[in-house]
Amino acid sequence: MSLSFDHLFEISPSHLLVVDRDLRCVAVNAAYCAITLTRREDLVGRLLFEVFPRDPSANRAAAADVRAAFERVFATGREQVLPRVAHRGRVREADGTIVERDRVWSSIHSPILGADGQVLYVMQVVQDVTELAAHVVSDAVSDALARAERAESVVTSLGESRDELLRVFEQAPGFVCFVKGPDHVFELTNPTYDELVGHRAKPGLPMRVALPETVEGGWIAVLDQVRRTGEPHVAHRRRGVLQRDGVPTEFLFDVVYQPIRGRDGDVIGVVITGYDITSAERAREAQAALQKQTDDAHARAELVSRERAFVMDMLPELVWTASPDGRLTFVSNRSMDFFGVSPETLLGDGWGSVVHEAELPNVVERWAHSLATGEPYEVEFRLRGHDGVYRWHLSAARAFRGEDGQIEKWFGSVTNVDDLVRMAEERDRSIRELSAQKRDLERFADVTSHDLKAPLRAIVKLVEWIAEDVEGKVSPETDENVRLLRDRSQKAIALVDAVLRYASAGGALRDHAEIDVTVLVRDTIAMLSPEPRHRLTLPAAPLRAWASRTAVQQIVMNLVGNALRFAREDDPQIVVTSTLASEVLTITVADNGSGIPEDRVADALAPFRTLKAPQSGTGLGLSIVQRLVETEQGSLSIHNGALGGAEVTVRLPARVGARDTRGMPIVRP
């Protein structure tokens, strides 16, 4: 059976209409007449918009859209699609009656070009999609159906000439082919289809021969089904493999298989229409991946933002930001805990409402200075708390600058320092009181030194004169009493001197200098006039350090003085060592006396306490040493050493060649 294009056009199930440049109907098929309830003789040769719409008042907008679509095709030569044309038209009910109902059509307007490439006619393919619209069928399926109807129309004859029909067929959008008979023999293909299959679909060849990969891919089975059932088959995003230059290549298609019936109603072939959406799908997948990355990035950013807000709210400080002009743009939720007001209340210039009026001018002035100069902002002032009480706070901020050096934002914080300010005030008050007490003590010591030492020296001198006058003239008992009187008077003078040294030991010493510790130790011990029977082991190598001369001298004098008194009577031994390491000067004094019981160390350090008989000393030696060590931020330890007696170790901050004691380490025991 030969293919008649007139017959193919007439029996096409698609609703086809062709108009010329005057929008005059030149061809219409039976399907179009059926859907519009018109006769062919009522349409062909007449202007389209004289026939339609039947109800101009109800269909004015739809008519305008359709007319504009036809005119755009003639003007541009490009296809125009109206996916939804809502109008009111006649419909035949099941019982044969005709009624007016609201309908939704989808129409495609395609150009038909002449030999010179100019648009001669425009073909309209319409589809009633009322039910699809009512059931919200996906755009992809609706589009596929529309393309199927359009593709089917391409293989029909639109005019009196076979050449005209072939031009329409070749110019159809997407790929189109017509296969005929049970073997699906290629009858017609358009250039897009030829390009897709590598120009292997030769007319007269069965598809399974020309394209063997379609057997395994299931394409032949679909064609068999459409031919057997007479029902169209629509496949959206159908994956398939085609040979391209001998290489299996995967594609993704939107494709429709439309059965074509002969005059006797039997299926004579199938029109295959569709689009290669591989590139579009890859672009969609790439877009989806990009969108996922964007969504993930937004989610991460949101998470970071929530975490940052959580951390800000966990901080004991109130965190804030401000614009370059100084207006607050963000305040953390800690404002509720601080001031009992919402963060929004403090934004802009609202923060001024919680500042104490006495400090507000200074705060504004300091903030204005930082805004003008970009310098860091830091100021203490009182803020009103949620209980109405003003407390001291420290506010600090730094400018955040962009790549151009301009300030983009200020980041700041507010810290409650009220306890620190109160402690500082209490500390200053205590320092003032202690300074006054120290001055009183020093004055007392001066008075004591003057008022007590003068008569004591007179008593000593008087006792010496009496001893000279009565020498050999009184009994031995009287001589002993005179000697005791002289010794006790000298000890009283020594006690007064010790009290004076103890009173001054707590003050800061300002005589730090580079000293030779070895020389100072030896000179200090010489001042104590040890007896020949005392065996002393002293440092010999020079040891230079930056330290307080007074502190070292008083420490050595008191420690060695104690050792001379407490060493063994029959064979007194004293060992003095000094070292300098890691900026710490260590001085150790050990003797071979009876030592200090561990539970009596605290007693040994207490003022006016002695572990020997009262006449053996003043009980202030170790107390003076301890106060000097504390003043120098050093440490002191006492234990019984290798000689069997007490071993006292003092550690003081010191440096070699330094000229500044600031920043010296505090020595721990």
Side-chain angles (χ1 to χ4, degrees), residues 312-499:
M312 286 182 178
D313 292 341
M314 289 292 293
L315 292 174
E317 296 84 3
L318 182 144
V319 181
W320 54 270
T321 63
S323 58
D325 63 0
R327 296 176 61 83
L328 265 61
T329 56
F330 168 80
V331 178
S332 63
N333 290 326
R334 294 282 292 172
S335 63
M336 290 298 298
D337 299 330
F338 274 58
F339 315 117
V341 298
S342 66
E344 292 73 20
T345 305
L346 304 177
L347 297 181
D349 299 323
W351 55 270
S353 63
V354 295
V355 180
H356 195 287
E357 60 181 9
E359 279 93 38
L360 184 58
N362 178 56
V363 172
V364 172
E365 180 181 352
R366 295 282 293 276
W367 185 222
H369 174 77
S370 293
L371 293 176
T373 63
E375 296 177 0
Y377 167 75
E378 188 169 308
V379 63
E380 286 187 3
F381 51 89
R382 286 172 290 177
L383 294 171
R384 186 180 67 249
H386 58 83
D387 55 359
V389 177
Y390 285 91
R391 295 177 177 84
W392 285 99
H393 290 75
L394 171 66
S395 183
R398 298 292 185 272
F400 176 78
R401 299 179 182 272
E403 294 182 356
D404 58 357
Q406 298 299 310
I407 296 176
E408 294 184 355
K409 185 179 288 189
W410 287 84
F411 288 86
S413 65
V414 175
T415 305
N416 188 332
V417 295
D418 194 70
D419 291 342
L420 294 177
V421 172
R422 305 298 180 194
M423 290 171 60
E425 292 175 349
E426 181 63 23
R427 178 202 61 201
D428 294 342
R429 185 187 64 78
S430 299
I431 290 174
R432 290 193 298 271
E433 292 179 355
L434 289 173
S435 297
Q437 292 175 5
K438 184 175 181 297
R439 289 193 297 271
D440 293 342
L441 182 58
E442 289 174 348
R443 285 194 295 269
F444 171 74
D446 291 341
V447 171
T448 300
S449 175
H450 180 272
D451 293 351
L452 292 182
K453 286 174 67 175
L456 286 174
R457 288 194 185 98
I459 292 173
V460 170
K461 195 64 176 176
L462 181 59
V463 169
E464 290 176 351
W465 290 344
I466 292 174
E468 292 175 359
D469 291 342
V470 300
E471 185 176 2
K473 299 177 183 179
V474 295
S475 65
E477 290 80 3
T478 301
D479 280 338
E480 178 64 18
N481 290 334
V482 171
R483 185 187 65 77
L484 290 174
L485 179 59
R486 181 182 58 206
D487 291 344
R488 299 292 171 79
S489 299
Q490 289 175 341
K491 289 185 181 295
I493 293 174
L495 177 60
V496 171
D497 289 337
V499 170

Side-chain angles (χ1 to χ4, degrees), residues 550-594:
T550 300
V552 173
Q553 187 177 53
Q554 289 293 318
I555 288 170
V556 172
M557 180 175 290
N558 283 281
L559 292 182
V560 174
N562 281 350
L564 292 173
R565 286 193 300 274
F566 297 133
R568 283 173 52 182
E569 291 290 339
D570 56 340
D571 183 22
Q573 296 182 41
I574 296 96
V575 176
V576 181
T577 61
S578 59
T579 59
L580 179 62
S582 301
E583 299 185 341
V584 175
L585 174 63
T586 302
I587 300 174
T588 300
V589 178
D591 63 62
N592 64 345
S594 58

Side-chain angles (χ1 to χ4, degrees), residues 3-20:
L3 179 65
S4 168
F5 289 98
D6 290 341
H7 176 65
L8 188 60
F9 176 80
E10 177 63 23
I11 68 172
S12 173
S14 297
H15 314 104
L16 307 176
L17 170 77
V18 180
V19 299
D20 61 13

Side-chain angles (χ1 to χ4, degrees), residues 503-581:
S504 62
L509 300 173
R510 297 180 176 84
D511 63 342
H512 292 81
E514 191 176 33
I515 61 174
D516 189 324
V517 178
T518 299
V519 173
L520 184 58
V521 168
R522 287 179 172 272
D523 290 348
T524 301
I525 293 176
M527 294 170 57
L528 295 173
S529 303
E531 300 176 13
R533 66 188 182 88
H534 291 107
R535 290 196 293 160
L536 281 81
T537 302
L538 305 179
L543 179 63
R544 304 193 67 80
W546 186 269
S548 167
R549 176 181 293 274
T550 300
V552 173
Q553 187 177 53
Q554 289 293 318
I555 288 170
V556 172
M557 180 175 290
N558 283 281
L559 292 182
V560 174
N562 281 350
L564 292 173
R565 286 193 300 274
F566 297 133
R568 283 173 52 182
E569 291 290 339
D570 56 340
D571 183 22
Q573 296 182 41
I574 296 96
V575 176
V576 181
T577 61
S578 59
T579 59
L580 179 62

Side-chain angles (χ1 to χ4, degrees), residues 642-661:
L643 295 180
E647 182 174 302
V648 183
T649 300
V650 171
R651 296 179 178 85
L652 302 174
R655 287 178 179 165
V656 178
R659 290 295 182 270
D660 191 351
T661 59

Side-chain angles (χ1 to χ4, degrees), residues 84-102:
R84 180 183 176 88
V85 181
H87 67 286
R88 189 166 185 82
R90 296 192 300 174
V91 180
R92 190 184 302 277
E93 297 286 17
D95 59 1
T97 59
I98 297 176
V99 297
E100 294 282 339
R101 293 194 185 280
D102 291 332

